[in-house]
Amino acid sequence: MKKTFGPRYAVPIGLLGVLILSFGIFIPWLGFYWDDWPVILTGRLLGAPGYWAFYEYDRPISAWTYVLTFPLLGSTPIHWHIFTLLLRWGTAAAFWWTLARLWPAHRREAAWAAFLFSVYPVFTQQPISVAYSQHWTCYLLFFLSLGAMVEAWRSQRSRPGRFWLLTGLAMAASLLQLLTMEYFAGLELLRPFLLWVLIAENVKERRAKAAAVLRGWLPYLLVLAGFTIWRLFFLEFPGEAANSPSLLFRMFSEPAAAGLRFLEIALQDISHLLVGVWANLIAPDKIDLGDRFNLFSWGWAVFTAAAVTLFLARLRTTPAGETEENPRWVRQALVIGTAAVALGMLPVWFTDRQIIVGTYSNRFGLAAMPGASLAIVALVEAVIGKKAQRIILIGLLIGLAAGAHVRTANDYRWSWVRQTRFYWHLYWRAPQIQPGTAIMSDGEIFPFVGLYSTAAGINLVYPPGQPPEQLPYWFYSMGREFKYNMPEFKAGMPLETTFRNFVFKGNTKDSLVIYHDPSKNDCLAVLSPKDFNIPNLPAVTREALSNANLSRILPEPAASDPPVEIFGPEPEHIWCYYYEKASLSHQTGDWETVVELGDQARGLGYAPDVDDSDTAYEWLPFIEAYARSDRWPDAEQLSLAAFEEEPQINGRMCDLWEELANLPQADTGAVQRVRQNVGCP
């Protein structure tokens, strides 16, 4: 006889296993991204109470989540990743509990829906753990509230005291999640659908059922109505109202156009939710047999699908799930699932936003995941006759989603590798930077981060300013912010950037202009006006070089190193360490130190024709130092090797050797040979 197990404890354990397989394997190597960074910055600079001022901008009550969690989790990435994964697990388990108590005879289907929900592939930002801990906290509160409502109704006759206790807890949880963030406000309208199913078990007359549903819904409706009125009409923001329901308001002024727009974005998003996200998992660009990690992810998908299929096949269910009531359950589940998709998306659509538009917009699909999962399970029940085939299909879908999440987590892992490299390179190159310095780049540097997030990271590398709300540094994209007003930029524009309760003040004349391309594994280059002819520089970077002010860098180390709990221990001293430190000593004219670093690097095997150190301009500090230290053969040899590796360096190389030719101790022979071989005019 095949060994089986009951769902009461097995389903939560199985959900945890699926979540670990989908999101957990890369947790030790993940870090901070996007909105994580300003949250961590706030906690470190202002402490937990600082979150009240930080969230005053748009969600003044939501600060409570970080006031409670930051003192416990701190600024260590792995703590947040584990915590947010556990919140997701709790949410999936609460979703299963809600469905299992709503349909006690269909716990099998409830388990399938919960498993699908736990990994539903519309939301791909789980590694942004600090920011989304709030979302999963609210989601957990919502399903605890919904489940408590169902449980209360099931116990109202036998245990009236328990009914009122659970109802009070359900209302409190509902109010708290609404006040924290409005993401799941639309799902609150799902309650009458669930109450209809519950009441229909004992009341058959339609009018009586409707009256009973209204009575049961009324306490929760009052909570939702009170929140809505407070949010729309009484809550005041320091600036422009955030997340305003602009499309909803337009329906009163131009109903035809706004209604058509609403219908369009709703159909697009629903199509994407139910079909597009699954089709995307097997799109041709997701299959690359020459990529070993891609092969691993598909193997992981197969393993997960097999494990889930075996688990669900051995999960014991009640015989009632196999009876003639099954068509009725399918109808109910389809109605509730479809309604949950639409209602969950209402707050998004009312703000004229979509899942499919914007880099981080798939977060808007969170509230639609339970409805989409339930609807898919109902369709599987309706279309596929045999239980074994249904289980195989559900397992296959979960496996495909798990493989996709693993690929996504690996992309985030590489983003974190590049971020930590960048911050340590910056610290090596600039051990201390004068307050009021703007860091200028042609654009964003890392995937899954953003400008203000990089600015927060830079401010965490160095000791805080005073007062802490006055940030010493900010990160700007020249291509986005200054491309069309370069004359003013060069002349010296005052800078004042406000981000919530933080402010940065500076001037474009007090800038560090950087060039960094992580896709090529290049070191961070902090440029000077002399670097105009470096190859591959973006045009906007060349134009901004006149404002590159290296005097903003102070050679003395800051009062403390970058915090290890955030950026990890100082990396091994490989090529970029020698380049950054040599560039710092080059800036101060400490030629002896540059030569010493060059000898050490070359002694380790680094050379212009070696992969790790084959970026030609990174050898320029060493070339100049060797020449100024009367080691002309070394300067000549490195110059010719760098030019051979990257002939586009000839413009910058010619500028350097023209300057070296004017030294009193210049080796005219070396100068002539290099200029001739490099092709200088």
Side-chain angles (χ1 to χ4, degrees):
M1 181 178 176
K2 183 172 70 172
K3 184 177 179 181
T4 61
F5 35 81
R8 183 173 182 181
Y9 299 110
V11 170
I13 292 172
L15 287 170
L16 181 60
V18 167
L19 286 167
I20 291 173
L21 289 174
S22 301
F23 304 104
I25 63 174
F26 282 123
I27 277 180
W29 300 278
L30 297 176
F32 296 135
Y33 314 90
W34 194 39
D35 281 356
D36 293 348
W37 279 113
V39 173
I40 296 299
L41 179 72
T42 300
R44 287 190 69 90
L45 298 191
L46 305 176
Y51 290 114
W52 296 112
F54 183 80
Y55 280 102
E56 182 185 19
Y57 170 78
D58 54 356
R59 298 185 179 109
I61 310 298
S62 66
W64 73 268
T65 64
Y66 295 121
V67 170
L68 293 179
T69 56
F70 185 82
L72 298 174
L73 303 175
S75 49
T76 303
I78 192 171
H79 296 168
W80 287 97
H81 287 283
I82 293 173
F83 174 65
T84 303
L85 186 63
L86 291 175
L87 287 174
R88 185 168 187 155
W89 170 58
T91 304
F95 176 51
W96 170 75
W97 170 56
T98 301
L99 295 184
R101 294 300 293 143
L102 180 66
W103 292 298
H106 296 275
R107 293 191 173 191
R108 179 189 68 202
E109 292 86 350
W112 293 358
F115 271 77
L116 269 180
F117 167 77
S118 70
V119 296
Y120 205 89
V122 69
F123 176 65
T124 62
Q125 300 173 59
Q126 180 70 18
I128 307 177
S129 59
V130 182
Y132 285 109
S133 67
Q134 273 197 339
H135 297 68
W136 289 110
T137 296
C138 291
Y139 225 164
L140 176 57
L141 286 170
F142 169 75
F143 278 120
L144 288 176
S145 173
L146 206 63
M149 182 192 77
V150 173
E151 192 68 41
W153 273 85
R154 293 219 171 274
S155 61
Q156 64 175 328
R157 292 186 177 181
S158 59
R159 302 173 65 182
R162 191 166 184 261
F163 168 81
W164 290 111
L165 174 63
L166 288 173
T167 298
L169 291 174
M171 292 174 64
S174 172
L175 179 62
L176 183 57
Q177 69 92 7
L178 286 169
L179 291 174
T180 304
M181 58 172 48
E182 66 285 348
Y183 268 69
F184 310 108
L187 284 177
E188 286 289 333
L189 298 173
L190 193 64
R191 292 182 188 271
F193 292 86
L194 273 60
L195 290 169
W196 184 275
V197 171
L198 290 168
I199 292 168
E201 293 176 355
N202 300 305
V203 180
K204 302 304 179 184
E205 200 273 320
R206 190 175 293 271
R207 184 173 296 180
K209 278 193 290 187
V213 167
L214 184 59
R215 287 195 302 271
W217 185 33
L218 185 60
Y220 306 99
L221 181 60
L222 291 174
V223 170
L224 179 61
F227 162 76
T228 304
I229 293 170
W230 170 77
R231 182 68 173 76
L232 293 182
F233 302 107
F234 290 96
L235 182 59
E236 295 183 1
F237 298 99
E240 183 179 350
N243 305 314
S244 174
S246 57
L247 188 56
L248 175 62
F249 292 151
R250 280 176 54 200
M251 288 182 177
F252 297 101
S253 59
E254 41 183 325
L260 186 62
R261 170 63 179 166
F262 180 88
L263 180 62
E264 178 184 70
I265 62 177
L267 291 175
Q268 289 175 349
D269 275 356
I270 290 173
S271 171
H272 176 71
L273 275 163
L274 297 179
V275 180
V277 293
W278 296 103
N280 187 53
L281 300 185
I282 54 174
D285 64 323
K286 301 298 187 294
I287 303 171
D288 183 357
L289 301 183
D291 184 325
R292 286 185 296 178
F293 182 81
N294 187 268
L295 283 174
F296 166 78
S297 73
W298 283 103
W300 196 257
V302 171
F303 169 76
T304 304
V308 170
T309 299
L310 181 62
F311 177 89
L312 294 179
R314 296 193 173 188
L315 187 65
R316 230 176 15 249
T317 55
T318 56
E322 311 289 343
T323 68
E324 67 278 3
E325 290 190 19
N326 209 44
R328 182 186 179 192
W329 177 86
V330 168
R331 289 193 300 271
Q332 290 180 344
L334 275 175
V335 170
I336 290 177
T338 304
V341 170
L343 295 174
M345 292 301 300
L346 275 183
V348 177
W349 294 335
F350 282 156
T351 61
D352 203 5
R353 295 179 178 178
Q354 292 185 258
I355 300 173
I356 59 175
V357 178
T359 304
Y360 301 102
S361 296
N362 64 57
R363 71 188 189 276
F364 298 138
L366 278 167
M369 286 165 47
S373 302
L374 184 59
I376 288 174
V377 169
L379 288 172
V380 168
E381 282 282 319
V383 173
I384 299 178
K386 294 184 178 180
K387 174 184 171 183
Q389 293 174 345
R390 298 172 190 163
I391 291 175
I392 291 172
L393 178 56
I394 296 295
L396 179 62
L397 291 176
I398 292 169
L400 287 172
H405 289 310
V406 166
R407 288 192 293 275
T408 298
N410 189 50
D411 292 338
Y412 276 88
R413 176 178 72 90
W414 275 112
S415 175
W416 183 239
V417 167
R418 290 162 180 164
Q419 285 188 77
T420 53
R421 285 176 183 170
F422 168 82
Y423 291 120
W424 276 106
H425 291 182
L426 178 64
Y427 182 69
W428 288 337
R429 176 61 183 87
Q432 192 173 175
I433 303 176
Q434 294 186 53
T437 299
I439 316 295
M440 301 285 181
S441 175
D442 65 292
E444 296 184 18
I445 301 176
F446 313 106
F448 317 123
V449 183
L451 298 176
Y452 62 83
S453 305
T454 303
I458 292 171
N459 279 283
L460 285 166
V461 170
Y462 302 97
Q466 294 299 327
E469 294 91 346
Q470 181 79 44
L471 295 178
Y473 320 110
W474 199 257
F475 180 75
Y476 292 97
S477 165
M478 294 178 292
R480 177 182 297 182
E481 301 185 57
F482 306 112
K483 183 176 181 179
Y484 300 106
N485 57 349
M486 267 295 165
E488 294 86 349
F489 175 90
K490 293 179 181 179
M493 292 175 58
L495 298 172
E496 182 169 350
T497 298
T498 300
F499 180 72
R500 294 184 181 261
N501 56 319
F502 293 106
V503 64
F504 166 79
K505 294 181 180 181
N507 191 285
T508 56
K509 285 289 189 181
D510 297 327
S511 300
L512 295 179
V513 179
I514 67 171
Y515 174 60
H516 188 55
D517 187 353
S519 66
K520 298 179 181 177
N521 292 322
D522 288 338
C523 310
L524 167 65
V526 181
L527 304 172
S528 76
K530 293 182 179 181
D531 293 322
F532 186 85
N533 286 323
I534 282 180
N536 302 319
L537 283 184
V540 69
T541 302
R542 292 187 200 280
E543 202 168 354
L545 284 180
S546 60
N547 279 20
N549 187 352
L550 294 184
S551 68
R552 306 300 297 176
I553 297 175
L554 303 177
E556 300 81 14
S560 59
D561 290 340
V564 173
E565 62 270 28
I566 298 178
F567 302 104
E570 183 172 3
E572 180 186 357
H573 291 176
I574 54 177
W575 166 249
C576 284
Y577 171 82
Y578 294 99
Y579 166 69
E580 304 296 354
K581 286 299 185 183
S583 297
L584 176 62
S585 296
H586 176 275
Q587 172 190 326
T588 61
D590 184 359
W591 309 116
E592 182 179 350
T593 299
V594 180
V595 167
E596 182 181 342
L597 289 164
D599 289 344
Q600 291 175 11
R602 295 167 74 193
L604 293 172
Y606 294 113
D609 59 351
V610 173
D611 285 347
D612 291 338
S613 55
D614 62 352
T615 301
Y617 70 76
E618 293 173 1
W619 286 95
L620 297 177
F622 301 101
I623 292 170
E624 182 171 359
Y626 281 128
R628 290 182 179 273
S629 302
D630 285 332
R631 290 178 56 175
W632 293 94
D634 292 297
E636 180 180 357
Q637 183 265 324
L638 285 176
S639 297
L640 296 179
F643 171 73
E644 184 176 353
E645 183 66 25
E646 191 175 356
Q648 298 92 332
I649 195 66
N650 65 327
R652 180 68 180 92
M653 191 74 74
C654 290
D655 292 342
L656 173 60
W657 277 90
E658 182 177 349
E659 184 179 342
L660 295 177
N662 294 322
L663 294 177
Q665 74 276 25
D667 183 333
T668 55
V671 171
Q672 290 175 356
R673 286 190 297 272
V674 170
R675 290 178 61 82
Q676 181 178 356
N677 283 284
V678 170
C680 299

